[in-house]
Amino acid sequence: MLEMTREEFEELVAEALDRIPPELTRLMDNVAVFVEDEPPADDPELLGLYEGTPLTERGEWYAGVLPDRITVYRGPTLRMCASREDVIAETEVTVVHEPTAAKETDGQVPLVLCGHLHHEGTQMLPYGTRLRREGSTGGSGLRAVEHEHPAPIQASILYFDRDSRRLQAWDAIELGGLGLTTAEVSRHLVDENQPGASTPSRSPSPASPSASP
């Protein structure tokens, strides 16, 4: 476990935020970032938590409200990191909700995780950033039982190269919905790791769509 004071950790969080591309930080409107030592007891390994109203849900009514809150938890982050650079490098895997925001980081981060489309998939963007869509599982709440058959619960386990921090493979897990007992697990390799594929590049291109003619 990496050890450092709260003040040192806050300095690294600030440095990590400075690394976020300007095109993305402009989208972080009315958002405040906080550091806490530990997450809630029912989720002890939670690295961070967003609380507020996503950009996609803000309408004309959105005015005069308190800032959204992003909390970074020091304990779990230090327990999974081996160096100060590892703490900062967590921002290299950028988590966004809208897939359209991925183009703003293409070529600047190795991976963007997104949701919103309610289905999973993966694609390589033009400048080397991989877009991984996880979507919504539909396995909880009233949507789980609003159709003839209960919606399944879906999840993915992602596997990364320790040195390059690039996605290597993922396991897709699907559990039967409410009242069902089925379970399916399948392993998937990224295209460049398929048998016979050429050696993948180790980092995204330094270019980005916003910088191209």
Side-chain angles (χ1 to χ4, degrees):
M1 173 179 171
L2 187 64
E3 295 185 359
M4 65 177 61
T5 66
R6 178 164 178 152
E7 290 74 18
E8 290 174 320
F9 184 79
E10 289 176 346
E11 290 177 359
L12 296 186
V13 170
E15 186 171 344
L17 293 174
D18 288 340
R19 289 190 181 186
I20 298 177
E23 296 85 354
L24 188 57
T25 56
R26 284 197 291 267
L27 301 177
M28 296 175 63
D29 180 52
N30 199 34
V31 176
V33 179
F34 297 86
V35 170
E36 299 288 350
D37 288 334
E38 294 292 340
D42 59 351
D43 197 354
E45 297 307 313
L46 183 66
L47 300 180
L49 179 66
Y50 170 82
E51 299 171 285
T53 305
L55 288 174
T56 54
E57 298 178 12
R58 297 180 184 179
E60 295 180 356
W61 57 269
Y62 188 83
V65 299
L66 293 175
D68 291 359
R69 179 186 180 103
I70 297 177
T71 304
V72 180
Y73 295 108
R74 183 172 70 99
T77 302
L78 295 181
R79 287 193 287 273
M80 70 170 293
C81 292
S83 68
R84 295 170 63 90
E85 180 60 29
D86 283 348
V87 175
I88 300 173
E90 285 301 310
T91 59
E92 293 180 354
V93 177
T94 306
V95 179
V96 297
H97 185 70
E98 286 285 353
T100 53
K103 66 180 181 180
E104 303 294 353
T105 60
D106 187 16
Q108 302 182 55
V109 295
L111 176 68
V112 171
L113 299 177
C114 70
H116 186 62
L117 294 183
H118 303 280
H119 63 82
E120 63 88 25
T122 184
Q123 70 179 101
M124 186 67 73
L125 299 177
Y127 292 90
T129 292
R130 184 180 303 279
L131 174 62
R132 174 69 192 168
R133 299 184 306 274
E134 287 298 329
S136 301
T137 67
S140 61
L142 293 178
R143 288 188 177 182
V145 293
E146 66 181 2
H147 300 293
E148 181 180 356
H149 300 288
I153 298 174
Q154 298 172 317
S156 298
I157 300 176
L158 309 182
Y159 298 91
F160 296 88
D161 181 272
R162 181 181 295 273
D163 296 324
S164 69
R165 299 187 177 90
R166 298 182 71 82
L167 182 67
Q168 303 297 301
W170 68 92
D171 289 344
I173 303 172
E174 181 170 311
L175 305 178
L178 187 65
L180 302 180
T181 57
T182 59
E184 297 181 7
V185 180
S186 57
R187 171 68 53 86
H188 304 267
L189 300 177
V190 297
D191 292 341
E192 55 265 36
N193 285 347
Q194 296 288 343
S198 59
T199 303
S201 60
R202 301 292 290 179
S203 61
S205 165
S208 68
S210 59
S212 61

